[in-house]
Amino acid sequence: GGMHMLKGKVAIVTGGTRGIGLAIVEKFLENHAAVALAGSRQETADKAVAQLRERYPDAQIMGIAPDLSDTAAVEAAFQQVKEAFGHLDILVNNAGISQRDSLYNYDPADFEKIINLNVNAVFRCTQSAAKIMKEQGGGVILNTSSMVSLYGQPAGCGYPASKFAVNGLTKSLARELGKDNIRVNAVAPGVIRTDMVAALPEEMVQRIASTIPLGRMGEPEDIANAFLFLASDMASYITGAILSVDGATIS
Ligand code: NAD
């Protein structure tokens, strides 16, 4: 794209190595942000960065892989990004996992694992980024929620519980951090055509699509466009919003 909606901005995107996070990284690079993508391992982060450098040779991009359950590691990685790129304007808390076991089969350790990444890591990353942003005079924090944060889902209760918590953090921190010129918003994707969906038989994809009012699944780029808007100055009076990008799906 020929737009420069994030020119001069620096962003960190967690879970930026693939899927929705990678689409957000691409969209931000196309709009001239400097981007640090965070992966769960340094090798996968570096690999994603190497591939992006081929497609965006002029872009400022780096790969980080802090353990998101370790506050000191997150703080050090975010400082490293600030030192490399000069400041930190946008944090996208996108890393997340899901799980669909029924309550009776649910391993409590899996429940904790989901909460640890989808909630506790969002808190931790947000705290580290907000300290930097406050000192700088402002910033934007964006979270990947889900449509299940509105309706729950009929199996796998940990995942919707975690996304309800993400909405709670979003709305509360929007109110708390407005005075520091930090906006906090979330995007709630519907069914998005990522690797997981791409592996499904076409017949099943069609069946799912037929239940969606807009008649198709979402593409990662549909989600990335919403993040771009919320990250940009066009959304300068929007905070505390949970923006559904789901084709009006109710599942
Ligand atoms: P994905 O599995 O393709 O990517 C997940 C990303 O999270 C990867 O980059 C991975 O490196 C990172 N990650 C996983 N575990 C990690 C850990 N322990 N520490 C650090 N990073 C870790 O997932 P996706 O479908 O692109 O999902 C991204 C976000 O979108 C998640 O928060 C998910 O809940 C949300 N979401 C996805 C859909 C969908 O249909 N795909 C729908 C609604 C919401």
Side-chain angles (χ1 to χ4, degrees), residues 191 193 202-218 247-250:
V191 184
R193 199 193 280 273
E202 184 57 25
E203 186 198 81
M204 191 181 290
V205 172
Q206 287 304 325
R207 187 145 36 84
I208 295 167
S210 71
T211 67
I212 298 171
L214 284 182
R216 65 171 178 90
M217 290 183 184
T249 307
I250 296 180

Side-chain angles (χ1 to χ4, degrees), residues 8-38:
K9 308 279 192 196
V10 176
I12 293 174
V13 180
T14 71
T17 58
R18 61 174 195 257
I20 290 170
L22 181 59
I24 296 168
V25 170
E26 291 169 341
K27 188 62 67 176
F28 282 14
L29 290 174
E30 283 162 15
N31 283 270
H32 293 205
V35 180
L37 67 82

